[in-house]
Amino acid sequence: AQSVTQLGSHVSVSEGALVLLRCNYSSSVPPYLFWYVQYPNQGLQLLLKYTSAATLVKGINGFEAEFKKSETSFHLTKPSAHMSDAAEYFCAVKGSNFGNEKLTFGTGTRLTIIP
Amino acid sequence: DTGVSQDPRHKITKRGQNVTFRCDPISEHNRLYWYRQTLGQGPEFLTYFQNEAQLEKSRLLSDRFSAERPKGSFSTLEIQRTEQGDSAMYLCASSLVEANTEAFFGQGTRLTVV
């Protein structure tokens, strides 16, 4: 079984400041981890994924995340926030074993950018 | 190919009516998923298909819900005798078979039951 905890349902940062969105996971098998972004009334867009290769993963729009097995974490960061980053962000996990196909999502973090 | 397509984008229906949603996946993707997202929550898994076979269903998928993918291409999700609690965004996603590939999501169908 898998689960995801996203600490902080709302995060506000100033434009140009560091963005840090936290995600901790639980998985009974080695996990695959994903960050998705959702704009209002839209579907989900993949930002980046970890699939057991490099632990530091770079994604689109300047985002990156680091897989830390010892901390069961996969936090999302961006060095400098832009107004267009305002959205809802979801961390998701699925097991890497065959047949474990469903994504389990966290409850999301709404990111607000302060001009 | 423009990605996963869902129709309609919005649906308002009266309680007790039946509704059907359609999803067209990315053409080469043989896996198709349905998720439900309620306000303030992350998406929750409902069911998935590999080609035309429905391989897993969530407990969330009550007897009033049925999904099909008759020719392994598009899929439909039908809700019978809708209830107010069915109001949500219904998201479709597709992927390749390989486990380490990501799911690509459609824009969703927002259902409002009045």
Side-chain angles (χ1 to χ4, degrees):
Chain A
Q2 291 83 38
S3 66
V4 169
T5 302
Q6 291 186 242
L7 296 176
S9 58
H10 292 85
V11 170
S12 297
V13 301
S14 297
E15 190 175 15
L18 171 72
V19 175
L20 170 61
L21 304 182
R22 299 178 186 275
C23 171
N24 288 87
Y25 71 91
S26 172
S27 179
S28 54
V29 298
Y32 291 154
L33 293 155
F34 306 82
W35 275 99
Y36 284 87
V37 61
Q38 186 176 35
Y39 297 97
N41 294 312
Q42 299 293 316
L44 282 75
Q45 180 184 9
L46 181 73
L47 283 176
L48 48 79
K49 65 178 180 179
Y50 166 76
T51 56
S52 72
T55 56
L56 181 61
V57 180
K58 295 187 183 298
I60 62 171
N61 302 338
F63 284 95
E64 63 181 39
E66 186 172 8
F67 172 70
K68 292 186 177 181
K69 183 178 178 180
S70 61
E71 299 177 8
T72 60
S73 68
F74 191 57
H75 302 330
L76 182 70
T77 61
K78 181 174 180 177
S80 177
H82 191 272
M83 295 299 294
S84 61
D85 295 327
E88 187 95 23
Y89 291 80
F90 292 95
C91 181
V93 63
K94 75 171 184 175
S96 57
N97 53 317
F98 182 79
N100 195 337
E101 304 306 331
K102 64 182 181 185
L103 286 167
T104 299
F105 286 85
T107 52
T109 297
R110 181 170 299 279
L111 177 63
T112 300
I113 310 299
I114 303 166
Chain B
D1 187 72
T2 56
V4 179
S5 177
Q6 292 188 245
D7 183 70
R9 291 290 311 277
H10 303 273
K11 178 71 177 179
I12 299 175
T13 191
K14 292 182 178 180
R15 189 174 53 182
Q17 297 293 305
N18 299 344
V19 294
T20 300
F21 310 140
R22 176 181 171 120
C23 172
D24 288 89
I26 293 172
S27 58
E28 64 267 28
H29 286 182
N30 37 24
R31 287 212 173 123
L32 186 148
Y33 310 80
W34 285 99
Y35 288 82
R36 182 174 70 185
Q37 185 180 21
T38 53
L39 206 59
Q41 299 297 316
E44 295 174 294
F45 171 80
L46 291 178
T47 188
Y48 92 94
F49 294 83
Q50 181 163 316
N51 301 314
E52 65 275 12
Q54 188 173 17
L55 296 186
E56 187 175 348
K57 293 195 293 185
S58 162
R59 294 190 308 270
L60 294 175
L61 214 64
S62 76
D63 291 345
R64 297 184 298 105
F65 288 70
S66 63
E68 294 182 343
R69 195 183 183 196
K71 297 183 179 179
S73 56
F74 73 91
S75 175
T76 58
L77 178 68
E78 181 183 17
I79 309 174
Q80 297 182 327
R81 305 181 303 281
T82 52
E83 302 173 355
Q84 286 191 322
D86 298 331
S87 295
M89 174 80 90
Y90 290 84
L91 294 164
C92 177
S94 69
S95 74
L96 296 169
V97 170
E98 289 75 18
N100 62 353
T101 60
E102 64 270 28
F104 292 82
F105 282 80
Q107 300 288 307
T109 295
R110 181 166 295 284
L111 173 66
T112 302
V113 182
V114 297

